[in-house]
Amino acid sequence: MAWTSPFAPRARRGRVFIQSASGTETGRRALHAGLHGVDGRDPEGECVGTPLESWVDEAARLTKPDRVVYCDGSEAEYQRMVAKMLSGRDTSTLNEKTFPNCYLHRSNPTDVARTEHLTFICSRQKDQAGPTNNWMDPAEARQKVGGLLDGAMRGRTMYVVPYIMGPVNSPISQVGVQATDSPYVVASMRIMSRMGKVAMDRLGSSREFVPGLHSLGDLDPQRRLIAHFPEEKLIWSVGSGYGGNALLGKKCFALRIASVMAREQGWMAEHMLILGLESPGGKVTYMGAAFPSACGKTNLAMMVSALENQGYRVWTVGDDIAWMKIGDDGYLHAINPEAGFFGVAPGTGMKTNQNVMGALRKNTLFTNVAMTQQREPWWEGIGGEPPEGLTDWRGEKWDPAKGPAAHPNARYTVPASQSPSISPKWEAPEGVPISAFVFGGRRARVAPLVYESFDWQHGVFVGATMASETTAAITGAVGVTRRDPMAMLPFCGYNMADYFQHWLEMGKKIPKPPKIFHVNWFRKGADGKFLWPGYGENVRVLKWILERVEGRGAAQETPIGYVPAKNGLTLDGISVPDAALDELLRVNPQDWEAELSNTKEFFAKFGARLPRQISEEHEKLARRLQPMVTA
Ligand code: OXD
Ligand code: MN
């Protein structure tokens, strides 16, 4: 891996006081035991150690922390981070009896979400970033972000967090190293990744790691920037402590940088949940599913199946990201690079996601949720009426006139192993073989409940035309369609036209490619009500997908793909009126005409770089729809 240092201006080498998490220099050496024999310093006292050490050294010279601490990932260290957080005003202990080892962190009110407009891909050529990314020239980014990072850790400690994205012994996993001045980030990284000594052991003295430098800076949104250097495989983030901006292993590495690596190396890094659907007899079929934010990815990954009594059960492998490589058996094999779930709390309750609720009862870090008088976490949608005396996400007595008690983007950070639905295969080094890809979005009209693409190329087109409608809560305008190809719009680290090309090429390389489907749980009737019950009932759609994978499953061919025949879905035990089912499965030519022109406009952004096959699929769809439109 070719990372070079974009530190600028290159500071004079000087000494940095380095400590291990346990507070001694020997601790750091112990972490490196067996990796290199020297003590990491040349006779003049300069670091001449591993590539990691020289990177840390440079990071420290730029940010000028008082101390540098290498994290070992131990429970004792986690508790030290929590103690540091508790010594400030923004973290509280939750009820130790009902929520043992759980904490509530309140972030700065201006720092509660990913900031896409401050997120940049700093490739040498603007074209490499493409029309859907913010681009900054790497030299300019070095200047700008470097300026913000210069001295940013004065008076603070720099924590060096080595981490593995993926199961410890998986060949698909990768090492990252994050330097940060936030104990909250260190604690979160311990839940979200395999962190500390295990990562050091895997890294050895190699330079095969993705470095990420993060500082809270002064949390001023004016001085916040998240910069990715795809050629160097490097991340710089300053001015935010929020998950997607600050836990650099997640969106920054596992999607933006990894998508670039995946293209270079012939694998896939996708914004996909991974689930296993167990069928009667115990066979498990694995699927990867991509949905834009706020479309229920975590709920689907951890679904309590409505057909459990018929032998259909859902196992969770991952809820957000999938890294996939072609296995010896010809299947695409997926790992979940993360070790925890960083999920949106509001809307999560016993009715919607019993498995998550079960997982959150211990060892969970909550962010920006409300708190009851019993010091239990609370949020809108948890079930029941708001209890008396709630403290809101800002830490003030809740006043309903001022908005919801929990921030709408309040989060839980929980070890994946705590989910009752966690798959026995979730840490399998070889990953799980993927038989189906499922794309989806929130569409009140247009997309039927489920359809299957004709082949891989058509499936790539289906993914590339993915879209979701904004809700009134977000924009004030219902039904505004935002194109979000493969749910990767904010996360693809390079030109999306090239990303489509990579998908097309992968299709040729995978001997047993997954079948590609599209789902839409959100279709509405003329009365504006949802036609499909959703949640645990979605397993009925997964069952049809499974049957299609196995060459069964009654289907009808339509211009957009195969839609279930009316008797194709298992509907016993629920009441979906006949007319609703017709509407759920209907392909309305007028809607699809509008869809064709909308997607054409979207694809035009990519100019000549758009793969010919995508335009070809667009034309083929238009041709297939033609007889319906003129009929
Ligand atoms: C997330 C997102 O937080 O996609 O996972 O926004
Ligand atoms: Mn996500």
Side-chain angles (χ1 to χ4, degrees):
M1 188 175 311
W3 59 262
T4 55
S5 166
F7 290 97
R10 220 184 144 78
R12 235 180 59 76
R13 290 179 83 77
R15 290 196 74 152
V16 179
F17 177 47
I18 298 186
Q19 246 191 355
S20 81
S22 53
T24 63
E25 284 237 15
T26 11
R28 179 177 66 108
R29 282 195 217 118
L31 279 177
H32 286 272
L35 305 180
H36 58 97
V38 296
D39 77 351
R41 281 165 200 273
D42 71 8
E44 273 137 43
E46 293 193 350
C47 273
V48 290
T50 61
L52 166 64
E53 284 167 337
S54 28
W55 179 76
V56 170
D57 207 34
E58 281 194 85
R61 259 185 266 280
L62 176 65
T63 55
K64 305 177 181 63
D66 284 7
R67 299 189 321 151
V68 177
V69 167
Y70 278 70
C71 295
D72 60 13
S74 64
E75 175 61 29
E77 176 184 86
Y78 181 79
Q79 292 307 333
R80 276 199 299 279
M81 292 303 132
V82 167
K84 273 208 185 326
M85 288 157 64
L86 290 170
S87 69
R89 287 195 336 202
D90 51 12
T91 305
S92 320
T93 304
L94 291 170
N95 189 315
E96 275 142 28
K97 281 212 181 77
T98 51
F99 284 84
N101 202 25
C102 290
Y103 303 93
L104 162 55
H105 174 76
R106 296 192 183 98
S107 69
N108 185 296
T110 66
D111 187 30
V112 292
R114 279 188 294 106
T115 39
E116 282 175 24
H117 64 291
L118 301 175
T119 302
F120 290 84
I121 301 298
C122 308
S123 46
R124 276 171 223 137
Q125 305 293 325
K126 188 170 186 203
D127 258 11
Q128 292 297 122
T132 57
N133 277 314
N134 300 315
W135 175 79
M136 200 186 287
D137 178 78
E140 189 190 340
R142 231 162 273 176
Q143 276 281 318
K144 263 202 180 134
V145 191
L148 295 171
L149 285 168
D150 193 352
M153 296 193 192
R154 241 184 224 114
R156 303 180 188 171
T157 298
M158 173 195 273
Y159 300 100
V160 179
V161 181
Y163 61 93
I164 304 174
M165 293 309 284
V168 173
N169 295 318
S170 171
I172 310 176
S173 301
Q174 305 263 355
V175 175
V177 178
Q178 173 163 0
T180 179
D181 52 8
S182 161
Y184 166 77
V185 166
V186 177
S188 304
M189 286 296 284
R190 181 162 184 274
I191 299 175
M192 295 303 295
S193 68
R194 283 86 174 170
M195 178 271 245
K197 185 174 182 312
V198 276
M200 280 297 222
D201 289 348
R202 177 159 170 145
L203 181 63
S205 52
S206 149
R207 55 186 299 128
E208 291 280 313
F209 67 95
V210 170
L213 176 54
H214 167 253
S215 171
L216 293 169
D218 59 8
L219 293 179
D220 182 341
Q222 302 296 325
R223 285 188 288 279
R224 179 176 301 159
L225 280 171
I226 300 103
H228 305 71
F229 300 85
E231 282 103 358
E232 289 93 344
K233 315 284 183 293
L234 172 88
I235 306 149
W236 274 5
S237 167
V238 64
S240 168
Y242 171 77
N245 297 332
L247 309 180
L248 302 186
K250 193 174 176 63
K251 304 298 188 182
C252 300
F253 176 7
L255 288 175
R256 296 196 191 97
I257 295 293
S259 62
V260 174
M261 293 164 71
R263 176 175 172 236
E264 288 169 359
Q265 299 163 8
W267 51 283
M268 301 176 91
E270 298 298 328
H271 190 201
M272 283 185 178
L273 66 88
I274 309 161
L275 64 78
L277 178 63
E278 182 176 333
S279 45
K283 183 171 170 230
V284 182
T285 304
Y286 296 93
M287 309 177 183
F291 303 97
S293 306
C295 290
K297 230 154 93 229
T298 306
N299 281 343
L300 183 64
M302 297 198 196
M303 177 210 291
V304 179
S305 157
L307 297 179
E308 207 154 313
N309 57 0
Q310 293 184 30
Y312 292 90
R313 185 175 174 156
V314 172
W315 295 101
T316 313
V317 178
D319 81 324
D320 196 40
I321 300 174
W323 282 0
M324 295 172 281
K325 284 193 176 163
I326 302 168
D328 294 339
D329 57 3
Y331 281 94
L332 199 53
H333 279 247
I335 60 159
N336 170 10
E338 303 188 278
F341 304 128
F342 178 66
V344 178
T348 307
M350 284 313 264
K351 278 214 186 99
T352 58
N353 199 331
Q354 207 177 311
N355 281 330
V356 178
M357 293 305 285
L360 302 181
R361 297 305 295 232
K362 57 182 182 187
N363 311 324
T364 304
L365 200 48
F366 293 92
T367 305
N368 296 337
V369 299
M371 189 171 69
T372 68
Q373 283 176 326
Q374 289 73 42
R375 304 188 71 77
E376 293 189 341
W378 193 90
W379 51 79
E380 282 71 15
I382 199 168
E385 290 302 308
E388 278 299 305
L390 275 178
T391 303
D392 73 9
W393 65 276
R394 293 184 189 83
E396 290 160 13
K397 186 171 174 340
W398 182 45
D399 173 2
K402 288 194 184 151
H407 187 276
N409 193 35
R411 298 276 176 155
Y412 51 78
T413 310
V414 62
S417 57
Q418 287 184 197
S419 171
S421 61
I422 198 74
S423 159
K425 290 270 196 183
W426 87 282
E427 298 198 276
E430 71 282 12
V432 293
I434 299 292
S435 297
F437 278 152
V438 184
F439 295 125
R442 179 186 287 272
R443 309 295 303 265
R445 299 170 63 97
V446 191
L449 178 62
V450 56
Y451 62 100
E452 179 192 340
S453 65
F454 293 116
D455 51 33
W456 180 272
Q457 180 173 306
H458 177 229
V460 174
F461 173 79
V462 169
T465 51
M466 245 175 79
S468 211
E469 282 149 12
T470 51
T471 60
I474 298 167
T475 64
V478 178
V480 175
T481 307
R482 174 169 123 139
R483 294 280 147 206
D484 188 352
M486 285 85 168
M488 283 288 277
L489 189 76
F491 305 121
C492 186
Y494 60 102
N495 192 316
M496 280 208 118
D498 301 343
Y499 169 77
F500 300 148
Q501 187 66 47
H502 177 51
W503 265 81
L504 292 164
E505 273 155 28
M506 285 304 292
K508 289 185 220 140
K509 288 189 197 144
I510 309 167
K512 294 181 182 154
K515 284 194 164 197
I516 301 179
F517 297 81
H518 187 283
V519 299
N520 175 24
W521 319 130
F522 302 94
R523 191 143 171 175
K524 288 181 176 170
D527 58 1
K529 294 207 174 116
F530 290 117
L531 292 163
W532 180 249
Y535 301 110
E537 308 297 349
N538 291 338
V539 74
R540 297 169 192 274
V541 173
L542 298 183
K543 178 173 178 274
W544 183 78
I545 290 175
L546 166 69
E547 286 163 1
R548 294 297 294 170
V549 164
E550 290 179 344
R552 305 179 285 124
Q556 46 180 330
E557 188 174 335
T558 76
I560 64 162
Y562 300 105
V563 170
K566 265 188 89 174
N567 62 352
L569 290 169
T570 306
L571 295 176
D572 48 310
I574 49 168
S575 66
V576 178
D578 218 42
L581 187 61
D582 283 340
E583 185 57 24
L584 275 166
L585 301 178
R586 192 159 76 98
V587 177
N588 178 352
Q590 275 73 40
D591 285 348
W592 281 90
E593 279 282 284
E595 186 75 357
L596 273 174
S597 64
N598 190 297
T599 49
K600 192 172 188 154
E601 212 175 287
F602 176 70
F603 287 139
K605 283 189 188 185
F606 299 99
R609 213 154 167 147
L610 186 77
R612 160 190 64 74
Q613 295 92 325
I614 297 290
S615 317
E616 218 173 85
E617 286 300 325
H618 193 275
E619 282 157 29
K620 274 160 64 181
L621 176 60
R623 248 179 282 135
R624 289 192 302 263
L625 282 164
Q626 197 55 41
M628 276 179 96
V629 179
T630 48

